[in-house]
Amino acid sequence: MKQKILVVDDEPDAVELLEINLRSAGYEVVSASDGEEALKKARMLLPDLIVLDLMLPEVDGTEVCKILRRDVKTSGIPIIMLTAKAGEIDRVLGLELGADDYVTKPFSPRELVLRVKRLLRVAQQDETKSDRIEWKELAVDIPRHQATVKGKSVDLTATEFKLLTVLAQRRGRVQSREQLLHDVWQYDNLIDTRTVDTHMRRLREKLGSAAKYLDTVRGVGYRFVED
Amino acid sequence: MKQKILVVDDEPDAVELLEINLRSAGYEVVSASDGEEALKKARMLLPDLIVLDLMLPEVDGTEVCKILRRDVKTSGIPIIMLTAKAGEIDRVLGLELGADDYVTKPFSPRELVLRVKRLLRVAQQDETKSDRIEWKELAVDIPRHQATVKGKSVDLTATEFKLLTVLAQRRGRVQSREQLLHDVWQYDNLIDTRTVDTHMRRLREKLGSAAKYLDTVRGVGYRFVED
DNA sequence: CCTTGCTGTGACATAATCGTAACATTGATG
DNA sequence: CATCAATGTTACGATTATGTCACAGCAAGG
């Protein structure tokens, strides 16, 4: 599953340079050229990382950064700041803005890709979310990437595992197909919602007796039963 | 029970930044501004983790690190080094100093907190510190740099050995290719993730019957099986 | 200087997984 | 009970991840 990166800069040249390099490093790239667009796309697409120029028309980069940090949905997304002056670094990284890293312009694409990789790895390690979910005979162990039913390990594919994890983490609450596509497939809304059904079936089949915890809520979506 | 962290740096600004961020992440923070004070507080308070600047007045950071590692009481405490130069990383992480991780200045507080969390998690699981790992017919002797299968020594290259070690130390938990690149290849670089696959193949080939303990988790990474 | 072993990469082969479409079944509604 | 929409089920071609191999660069050591 490709990781998604949002690039925000008003200079088309810089954006293009970044896009080319990030794409060839295997990332999916989305771009925005001003602060407003950046905020909108960040909230909609929930990228895995944001590369943000400090100087932007309309809403300034610093402002964008602060706003992203305030919103629960986006506050966890790593941000790399593009900045011209070395003197600004402390402010950028410090409490005021809370960026995760910076690169001074003009930057070498190589270095930027390197920092992107590093940040994504560090962010991945975070996993502040609970490591393990248990419900009756079903257990989901995230770091081991392993689900067990009555103590017996069940082989799930990456997608099935994630689907189960998302549902189990929101135990009791119904998740729409769109929501699931967003959370599990990282908002590749090019995908048909019926795909979710197919995966649910496969998941249920593999889970055997534990399939009863996966409820269909007709006309709404799916949920992990609570009782 | 709050975990205690000792922060050692002679720049008051850096210390303050660290204190604020670590406190808000739920840790108890103690600080020291030179090497001597650091050693005294480390021995007295036995913190769960130490953040140590490389450049210190009086007793240098490198010296502090060595001394802490020599003393039985403090040798097990994870140390994160704050360092200015990327060139020093090898020495810091290597045998000479034996720090557990490093962050280059200027650093982002968010990243540092993530690394602190990670190290504390790893330290708790604490297989890491053992010199020798055994699993069924496979044994890995770290100081002797030697792996054996059914008592018969297996010739591994440095990279293969490290790869096996990292996987075995995190027994059961899936490691992404990115994570493995970081842990095995030491510092961040632009090596292709497929390189990991190649080394896994070589490792499996050499391990023979013990290769079955090295699991591929499709779409995620590799893991050392636990059962 | 040559030799040797180690490494990272690209190319190709293979197998697992995915998304979709098509058809079957179920449940709601009047 | 007839109808329609939603969901379950199945099969299959396309896509992608991984295994495997060969090769060239390089460093270490003779």
Side-chain angles (χ1 to χ4, degrees):
Chain A
M1 265 171 254
K2 266 188 188 173
Q3 288 182 293
K4 204 182 322 174
I5 297 176
L6 174 60
V7 172
V8 188
D9 199 330
D10 60 323
E11 295 168 44
D13 289 352
V15 172
E16 198 193 356
L17 183 64
L18 281 168
E19 284 204 25
I20 290 170
N21 281 284
L22 290 171
R23 285 235 165 79
S24 73
Y27 298 108
E28 190 187 328
V29 182
V30 186
S31 67
S33 56
D34 65 70
E36 203 143 338
E37 193 189 348
L39 285 170
K40 210 176 71 188
K41 290 197 172 171
R43 279 194 278 253
M44 243 174 51
L45 306 172
L46 293 181
D48 299 280
L49 184 144
I50 300 174
V51 179
L52 181 60
D53 192 33
L54 203 57
M55 311 278 276
L56 286 177
E58 311 282 340
V59 188
D60 192 42
T62 57
E63 205 47 50
V64 173
C65 194
K66 282 190 207 167
I67 294 170
L68 287 173
R69 282 290 179 258
R70 243 182 268 133
D71 187 338
V72 196
K73 281 196 165 180
T74 57
S75 66
I77 302 174
I79 297 177
I80 296 181
M81 274 287 193
L82 295 179
T83 170
K85 289 163 252 163
E88 285 177 318
I89 292 166
D90 283 341
R91 197 169 63 91
V92 165
L93 290 181
L95 285 175
E96 195 188 340
L97 288 184
D100 297 275
D101 206 348
Y102 69 94
V103 176
T104 50
K105 281 191 173 184
F107 55 86
S108 101
R110 206 184 117 84
E111 157 135 11
L112 190 109
V113 171
L114 198 135
R115 287 175 184 266
V116 166
K117 284 192 174 180
R118 202 179 56 105
L119 265 187
L120 284 174
R121 175 170 39 73
V122 172
Q124 211 186 359
Q125 291 170 354
D126 186 14
E127 283 172 25
T128 311
K129 331 141 201 172
S130 81
D131 286 356
R132 191 181 169 82
I133 304 159
E134 293 189 56
W135 188 250
K136 309 269 171 85
E137 75 251 42
L138 176 68
V140 182
D141 190 318
I142 294 172
R144 284 167 205 275
H145 217 265
Q146 191 175 55
T148 55
V149 176
K150 292 177 186 164
K152 292 185 76 171
S153 169
V154 177
D155 250 25
L156 299 180
T157 69
T159 314
E160 286 156 5
F161 187 82
K162 187 134 191 213
L163 181 58
L164 175 60
T165 305
V166 167
L167 284 167
Q169 278 173 338
R170 317 234 209 293
R171 189 189 303 162
R173 275 171 293 169
V174 182
Q175 306 294 309
S176 70
R177 289 175 174 70
E178 286 76 16
Q179 184 70 47
L180 290 171
L181 274 180
H182 182 272
D183 292 346
V184 177
W185 280 258
Q186 323 247 37
Y187 215 80
D188 287 336
N189 54 359
L190 327 157
I191 291 175
D192 189 352
T193 54
R194 289 305 309 281
T195 298
V196 177
D197 298 46
T198 304
H199 278 273
M200 281 302 290
R201 186 187 117 46
R202 289 172 182 153
L203 186 53
R204 281 166 166 163
E205 189 174 45
K206 289 189 181 177
L207 288 183
S209 74
K212 59 176 174 285
Y213 302 129
L214 301 176
D215 252 16
T216 302
V217 182
R218 185 164 257 262
V220 188
Y222 295 98
R223 92 175 142 201
F224 195 105
V225 297
E226 196 159 29
D227 42 277
Chain B
M1 170 88 172
K2 264 190 192 176
Q3 287 181 296
K4 206 183 318 171
I5 297 177
L6 174 61
V7 172
V8 188
D9 199 329
D10 61 322
E11 295 168 44
D13 287 353
V15 172
E16 196 194 356
L17 187 62
L18 280 167
E19 283 203 24
I20 291 169
N21 280 282
L22 289 171
R23 285 234 166 80
S24 72
Y27 298 108
E28 190 185 329
V29 181
V30 187
S31 68
S33 56
D34 65 70
E36 203 143 340
E37 192 188 351
L39 285 169
K40 211 176 69 186
K41 290 197 172 170
R43 278 194 279 254
M44 248 174 46
L45 305 171
L46 292 180
D48 298 281
L49 185 143
I50 300 174
V51 178
L52 181 60
D53 192 32
L54 202 58
M55 312 276 277
L56 285 177
E58 311 283 341
V59 190
D60 192 44
T62 59
E63 206 46 52
V64 174
C65 193
K66 283 190 207 169
I67 295 170
L68 287 172
R69 281 289 181 257
R70 242 182 270 132
D71 187 337
V72 197
K73 278 193 166 182
T74 57
S75 66
I77 302 174
I79 297 178
I80 295 181
M81 274 287 192
L82 295 179
T83 169
K85 288 162 255 165
E88 285 177 318
I89 292 164
D90 281 339
R91 200 167 61 90
V92 166
L93 291 181
L95 286 174
E96 194 185 343
L97 289 184
D100 297 275
D101 205 349
Y102 69 94
V103 176
T104 51
K105 281 190 172 185
F107 57 86
S108 112
R110 273 161 51 95
E111 176 176 346
L112 192 111
V113 170
L114 284 182
R115 287 175 184 270
V116 166
K117 280 189 190 168
R118 164 168 171 263
L119 266 186
L120 285 174
R121 224 182 16 233
V122 172
Q124 235 170 10
Q125 289 153 352
D126 216 6
E127 291 168 273
T128 312
K129 301 295 175 191
S130 85
D131 289 349
R132 190 180 170 80
I133 303 159
E134 292 189 56
W135 189 249
K136 309 267 169 89
E137 73 251 43
L138 176 68
V140 183
D141 189 319
I142 295 173
R144 308 180 78 158
H145 217 267
Q146 191 178 52
T148 55
V149 176
K150 291 178 185 163
K152 293 183 75 170
S153 168
V154 177
D155 249 26
L156 298 180
T157 69
T159 313
E160 287 155 5
F161 185 81
K162 188 102 194 249
L163 181 57
L164 175 60
T165 305
V166 168
L167 284 168
Q169 280 175 337
R170 317 245 209 290
R171 190 189 305 162
R173 276 157 290 167
V174 179
Q175 306 295 309
S176 70
R177 290 174 174 71
E178 286 76 15
Q179 185 68 54
L180 290 171
L181 273 180
H182 177 252
D183 291 344
V184 175
W185 279 254
Q186 288 294 12
Y187 42 89
D188 307 284
N189 47 30
L190 287 173
I191 291 176
D192 195 299
T193 53
R194 290 305 310 279
T195 298
V196 177
D197 298 46
T198 302
H199 279 272
M200 282 301 289
R201 185 184 116 46
R202 290 170 182 155
L203 184 54
R204 281 166 165 163
E205 192 173 43
K206 289 190 181 176
L207 288 183
S209 74
K212 59 175 175 283
Y213 303 129
L214 301 177
D215 247 17
T216 302
V217 182
R218 188 164 256 261
V220 188
Y222 294 98
R223 90 176 141 203
F224 195 104
V225 297
E226 199 162 27
D227 40 275

